[in-house]
Amino acid sequence: MLRKPILLFMLMVSASSAFSQAVSPAQQKKMDAFINNLMSKMTLDEKIGQLNQVSVGFDVTGPIVSKNVNENIEKGNVGAVLNTYTPDAVRKLQQIAVEHTRLKIPLLFGYDVIHGHKTIFPIPLGLASSWDLDMIKQTATIAAQEASADGINWVFSPMVDIARDPRWGRIAEGSGEDTWLGSQIAKAMVQGYQGDTYLNNDKVMACVKHFALYGAVEAGRDYNTVDMSERRMFQDYLPPYKAAVDAGAGSVMSSFNEINGVPASGNKWLMTDLLRKKWGFNGFVVTDYTAINEMIMHGMGETTYDVAKVALDAGIDMDMVGEAFLDNLKQLVKDGKVQPSQIDIACRRVLEAKYKLGLFADPYRYCNDERAQKTIMKPEFLEAATEAAKRSIVLLKNSNNTLPLKTTGSIALIGPLADDHRDMIGPWSGAGDWQKSVSVLEGIKKLAGNQVQINYAKGANITNDDWMIKRLGADQLNNDARPANEMIDEAVNAAKKSDIIVAVVGESYGMSGEAASRSEIGIPSAQEDLLKALKATGKPMVIILMNGRPLTLKWENDNADAMLETWFAGTEAGNAIADVLFGEYNPSAKITATFPQDVGQIPLYYSHKNTGRPYQGDFTDRYKSRYLDISNDPLYPFGFGLSYTTFTYGDVKLSSNTIKPGQLLQISTTVTNTGKYDGTEIVQLYTRQMVGSVTRPVEELKNFKKIFLKAGESQVVNFTISSADLRFYDINMKYTYEPGDFKVFVGTNSRDVKEANFKLTN
Ligand code: BGC
């Protein structure tokens, strides 16, 4: 391993090795002295260089790739890099910065580590379905261990955008529709990545994204406009970002979208008034990929000169890839349009991040080949990935106890995703080694291959739609050249000679994630044709879904005997799915984004308002808030997920019918496992404020408990809430509670609940 002791430069003050996240006054003083000293030596050009992030070129997500990276680093024009990793690749670039530039300032290395680095966990929407905050934190801890061993010190995660429109492909990257749960997950992930301290170089700096409201793009079309009331913003969309900031996230990424007429990357209210002044964020803000330049298209200026000023004025510190800062800030200073002090502020924030990560003391502290080899994809991590995948799989349907399968007889394992490796690690798995992922076929063979006859057939391509194939690229889809009917016939023959069909269908990994909006969110028609042909055999059919968003699954729900939502479950997907199929693991996950019956219902989310004419099921009652052609119900409500066992809920008992501000209300219910299997249940607590100074949602998640019950066992589950939990943005946008009547609901999902009433008095 090459690890040169480096003498940065003759500084009066030396850099400490790394930062403990709770900054003591002494540490702060030392850091300030170090950075003051360094900045006193920096030219304006060198300061501007720190605000520039370049992409080394692979896996880029935008149209522009940085050119002349090495030369630019050497000139001091680069503060951070993205899209490279491995100790060797990082060391080479870091060496240029710390050995060949005048001030030898180390680089930050950022990467999209979204659901694991090399060991890939389920996509975030899948992880969220586990409602397992400790486990989610652990996945981020492991991702940090692998990434930091692989040269990376900064991850572009967590993505905490609340999303209520499954047409938006990026719903896959976040934790779904709920503000409260999203906030808990945001915090857990920041803690997992960053830990309490960067002292042991196995942590990375988190970057909360995409600030802000990116999940609310109009019509679910990526990069589109967001126009939202202040109330909805503060009530529903902003809290997860705030939770991540409060958890100490070191950086924030601005989003692509505009917010009420001003793009996030040029939005001073957002970046300065809210983020810095109101929330007290003291890390640095990087834009999303070329987002400053894109403000020209938004109509915020004609040239990069114009928009660089808009971004800096708004409070952006670092320009990802677009080089608008690099090309224009000096001139803007010369022209008196930007103050040198503004550049100083941004530069200081970037240098502080480097200091905290310990990069000044040892720029190579994340570059250790031996550590990388020992750490990456080690057995414990793969075990954690299997566990995370199992806990993320949602049982959507299970008629007549079709599942779990018996380890006897024969199975027709059919579908384009049944022996797939690439798709199952999902979108945003850039460093993931898909060849190492376990397919469903491999998982089933490993678990039951000796006892069960497996008749495998691909049966269909993921899609045969030319339009879609052109957009996704034929390589990505790996389509079979055989005619569709030939593939279907082969599958039907396999089904006919088997006891049961297990059909693995869904999306390719590229059908969700960035720039992957869909207007129809069903199973692509090539696969639907296959499913219909399989159904016609009359054999029982289990559908295993792989996808990155809630899908419309009406036909599947009506026709499958059992259905498992496995998302894109990561490196160990096949092993986890086999465990669930054969009952080695009893599924417990619950969806965190509503599955609509039809796209026309979108946006559809559980915490909606009541309207003045709520539809209550009587379709002859015409003048109600409803459709003529479909009910208002989702196919699967938020929080829904079955188990191989059954749970019953007793009445909701309250410690009192009234509470005063500050008092605790105890809520309890008895949950009983009434089925044959041991199982885990996610017990959910919701409330409703009946009357308010502004209208309130019909339900809001307030808490949950994940409990394990042996078959036949009962447990009293207790919750407490107080006036603090009942706060909201009132008519004056004050975050407060209002006395009055409330309902409390406890249940197995947001629809199937038991309720009780209480009053909050003055
Ligand atoms: C995405 C970000 C990502 C960035 C860097 C952008 O296109 O929106 O989520 O972090 O690229 O890869």
Side-chain angles (χ1 to χ4, degrees):
M1 184 197 68
L2 190 137
R3 194 185 171 112
K4 290 195 179 173
I6 59 145
L7 225 187
L8 275 179
F9 42 94
M10 299 308 288
L11 279 171
M12 304 282 289
V13 237
S14 63
S16 73
S17 61
F19 232 63
S20 152
Q21 313 240 306
V23 185
S24 68
Q27 272 179 317
Q28 183 74 40
K29 214 170 146 198
K30 207 170 162 205
M31 177 171 78
D32 289 347
F34 179 87
I35 291 174
N36 289 343
N37 194 332
L38 175 54
M39 285 184 63
S40 71
K41 299 185 167 77
M42 292 174 80
T43 62
L44 181 61
D45 284 318
E46 283 164 336
K47 290 175 184 168
I48 294 169
Q50 287 304 305
L51 315 187
N52 187 36
Q53 179 173 35
V54 297
S55 168
V56 297
F58 71 84
D59 206 25
V60 288
T61 53
I64 297 172
V65 179
S66 311
K67 298 205 181 69
N68 310 326
V69 169
N70 293 16
E71 293 90 313
N72 265 327
I73 297 176
E74 196 164 343
K75 281 195 213 149
N77 282 344
V78 178
V81 168
L82 78 150
N83 287 335
T84 196
Y85 55 86
T86 75
D88 195 40
V90 167
R91 191 185 300 114
K92 280 192 185 124
L93 296 180
Q94 194 68 296
Q95 245 165 6
I96 306 178
V98 298
E99 293 177 23
H100 299 286
T101 63
R102 195 178 75 89
L103 291 177
K104 306 182 181 348
I105 301 174
L107 298 164
L108 286 171
F109 286 86
Y111 195 62
D112 288 289
V113 174
I114 308 296
H115 49 112
H117 176 57
K118 287 283 184 183
T119 302
I120 301 297
F121 298 100
I123 54 166
L125 189 61
L127 286 176
S129 314
S130 71
W131 299 53
D132 197 324
L133 300 175
D134 290 341
M135 186 202 80
I136 291 171
K137 180 174 168 188
Q138 178 65 5
T139 66
T141 304
I142 292 173
Q145 285 173 316
E146 286 193 340
S148 63
D150 216 11
I152 294 164
N153 41 47
W154 180 28
V155 294
F156 303 133
S157 179
M159 187 283 215
V160 304
D161 306 326
I162 292 298
R164 295 177 172 178
D165 190 333
R167 291 172 297 182
W168 191 52
R170 303 199 79 168
I171 195 171
E173 288 171 58
S175 47
E177 74 185 44
D178 187 61
T179 311
W180 183 84
L181 186 62
S183 303
Q184 309 300 313
I185 293 175
K187 180 173 157 196
M189 291 195 71
V190 170
Q191 287 172 341
Y193 288 132
Q194 297 192 162
D196 298 328
T197 167
Y198 295 126
L199 287 173
N200 312 318
N201 56 359
D202 60 353
K203 297 290 176 193
V204 288
M205 184 169 286
C207 185
V208 187
K209 69 189 191 185
H210 305 84
F211 194 60
L213 320 182
Y214 186 29
V217 284
E218 276 179 7
R221 206 181 70 224
D222 214 354
Y223 317 123
N224 205 0
T225 305
V226 174
D227 199 319
M228 190 185 282
S229 74
E230 195 190 6
R231 180 174 315 287
R232 175 168 278 189
M233 246 183 237
F234 278 90
Q235 189 69 45
D236 297 343
Y237 282 78
L238 290 172
Y241 307 102
K242 168 86 165 39
V245 165
D246 288 348
S251 65
V252 166
M253 186 186 292
S254 70
S255 56
F256 287 126
N257 55 284
E258 70 162 70
I259 295 170
N260 299 350
V262 184
S265 303
N267 198 318
K268 191 167 188 183
W269 168 77
L270 186 70
M271 295 300 166
T272 300
D273 299 346
L274 180 69
L275 181 64
R276 301 235 174 240
K277 295 194 183 149
K278 208 162 170 182
W279 291 0
F281 174 67
N282 64 8
F284 74 98
V285 179
V286 64
T287 64
D288 204 340
Y289 204 100
T290 64
I292 298 181
N293 313 53
E294 288 170 29
M295 285 201 283
I296 297 174
M297 298 308 287
H298 277 286
M300 295 296 287
E302 288 177 358
T303 59
T304 54
Y305 176 92
D306 299 338
V307 290
K309 172 175 163 51
V310 173
L312 193 75
D313 284 349
I316 298 290
D317 303 307
M318 186 183 277
D319 172 1
M320 186 189 282
V321 177
E323 303 196 347
F325 276 179
L326 188 71
D327 295 344
N328 297 290
L329 287 186
K330 194 171 183 188
Q331 192 59 44
L332 281 160
V333 170
K334 273 196 194 144
D335 297 346
K337 301 223 165 127
V338 148
Q339 297 310 308
S341 59
Q342 291 178 269
I343 294 170
D344 281 353
I345 290 172
C347 175
R348 177 178 295 274
R349 290 175 183 150
V350 172
L351 295 175
E352 282 181 356
K354 296 181 177 186
Y355 184 96
K356 289 178 185 171
L357 285 163
L359 289 168
F360 284 107
D362 179 3
Y364 302 110
R365 68 194 299 257
Y366 300 94
C367 300
N368 176 334
D369 298 282
E370 200 187 312
R371 186 179 143 217
Q373 267 157 30
K374 279 197 192 139
T375 309
I376 286 172
M377 294 188 98
K378 63 179 173 183
E380 299 98 281
F381 293 174
L382 294 175
E383 263 169 47
T386 316
E387 192 58 35
K390 288 193 285 198
R391 293 188 198 182
S392 304
I393 293 173
V394 188
L395 180 64
L396 293 175
K397 182 176 180 189
N398 195 18
S399 325
N400 306 319
N401 298 320
T402 306
L403 291 178
L405 299 178
K406 293 177 195 64
T407 44
T408 53
S410 53
I411 296 174
L413 183 67
I414 312 287
L417 293 159
D419 193 23
D420 169 86
H421 294 90
R422 173 60 193 95
D423 290 296
M424 61 211 314
I425 66 169
W428 288 112
S429 50
D433 186 348
W434 60 265
Q435 273 130 337
K436 292 197 180 132
S437 70
V438 182
S439 76
V440 179
L441 177 60
E442 289 161 352
I444 293 183
K445 272 193 187 156
K446 191 168 147 207
L447 195 144
N450 293 336
Q451 298 119 288
V452 179
Q453 160 83 32
I454 303 163
N455 300 315
Y456 165 76
K458 184 168 176 184
N461 289 321
I462 291 180
T463 176
N464 287 333
D465 180 37
D466 282 342
W467 177 277
M468 185 71 98
I469 294 171
K470 276 196 200 117
R471 269 150 191 78
L472 292 176
D475 293 356
Q476 192 197 107
L477 287 162
N478 197 16
N479 270 2
D480 201 309
R482 287 179 292 163
N485 56 356
E486 194 182 316
M487 294 172 78
I488 291 182
D489 287 349
E490 186 188 36
V492 166
N493 287 337
K496 282 185 180 155
K497 58 181 187 212
S498 308
D499 301 329
I500 190 164
I501 300 162
V502 174
V504 192
V505 294
E507 298 184 305
S508 80
Y509 76 95
M511 287 169 76
S512 58
E514 186 174 353
S517 299
R518 293 179 65 198
S519 70
E520 295 290 344
I521 54 169
I523 304 279
S525 63
Q527 298 178 74
E528 282 202 325
D529 293 346
L530 168 67
L531 291 174
K532 285 176 184 157
L534 293 172
K535 174 75 184 172
T537 64
K539 297 283 167 115
M541 179 162 73
V542 177
I543 293 182
I544 295 181
L545 297 160
M546 288 188 192
N547 47 279
R549 52 156 62 79
L551 298 175
T552 48
L553 297 166
K554 200 154 174 353
W555 185 90
E556 291 74 8
N557 185 57
D558 288 344
N559 290 282
D561 296 281
M563 190 144 62
L564 286 170
E565 174 56 83
T566 71
W567 314 107
F568 293 116
T571 309
E572 289 291 311
N575 286 331
I577 292 168
D579 277 352
V580 171
L581 270 180
F582 291 99
E584 295 290 314
Y585 182 85
N586 184 357
S588 58
K590 312 253 191 184
I591 53 172
T592 59
T594 302
F595 279 45
Q597 298 180 66
D598 190 275
V599 238
Q601 297 175 301
I602 294 169
L604 188 66
Y605 50 95
Y606 84 94
S607 59
H608 60 85
K609 302 289 185 73
N610 205 29
T611 81
R613 295 185 176 195
Y615 175 63
Q616 272 147 348
D618 176 4
F619 70 89
T620 60
D621 200 353
R622 179 152 189 193
Y623 295 98
K624 294 290 180 189
S625 180
R626 56 157 196 166
Y627 301 97
L628 287 175
D629 51 353
I630 198 170
S631 78
N632 291 354
D633 301 327
L635 184 62
Y636 305 117
F638 175 85
F640 177 83
L642 303 170
S643 162
Y644 294 152
T645 194
T646 43
F647 297 101
T648 54
Y649 282 66
D651 289 339
V652 179
K653 294 190 183 135
L654 304 183
S655 56
S656 167
N657 293 329
T658 41
I659 50 164
K660 287 196 173 125
Q663 279 181 345
L664 287 182
L665 176 71
Q666 313 223 319
I667 302 149
S668 63
T669 187
T670 303
V671 181
T672 306
N673 180 343
T674 46
K676 282 196 268 167
Y677 297 88
D678 299 348
T680 297
E681 169 70 332
I682 298 167
V683 183
Q684 299 160 41
L685 174 78
Y686 300 86
T687 60
R688 175 172 178 183
Q689 180 179 350
M690 301 310 291
V691 175
S693 58
V694 294
T695 60
R696 306 290 294 118
V698 295
E699 250 183 310
E700 291 174 285
L701 182 71
K702 294 292 174 185
N703 208 340
F704 70 91
K705 291 241 163 90
K706 200 169 167 177
I707 58 165
F708 175 79
L709 289 178
K710 290 199 145 65
E713 199 185 345
S714 294
Q715 190 179 314
V716 178
V717 179
N718 294 303
F719 295 100
T720 52
I721 53 173
S722 72
S723 47
D725 300 305
L726 303 172
R727 285 174 295 174
F728 70 109
Y729 289 90
D730 75 359
I731 186 73
N732 301 312
M733 285 303 291
K734 197 170 147 220
Y735 190 59
T736 186
Y737 51 81
E738 287 174 349
D741 289 331
F742 288 81
K743 276 190 191 300
V744 54
F745 310 93
V746 182
T748 184
N749 61 55
S750 60
R751 181 190 59 201
D752 302 314
V753 290
K754 296 212 165 169
E755 62 178 76
N757 303 311
F758 72 95
K759 204 183 258 302
L760 175 66
T761 61
N762 275 317

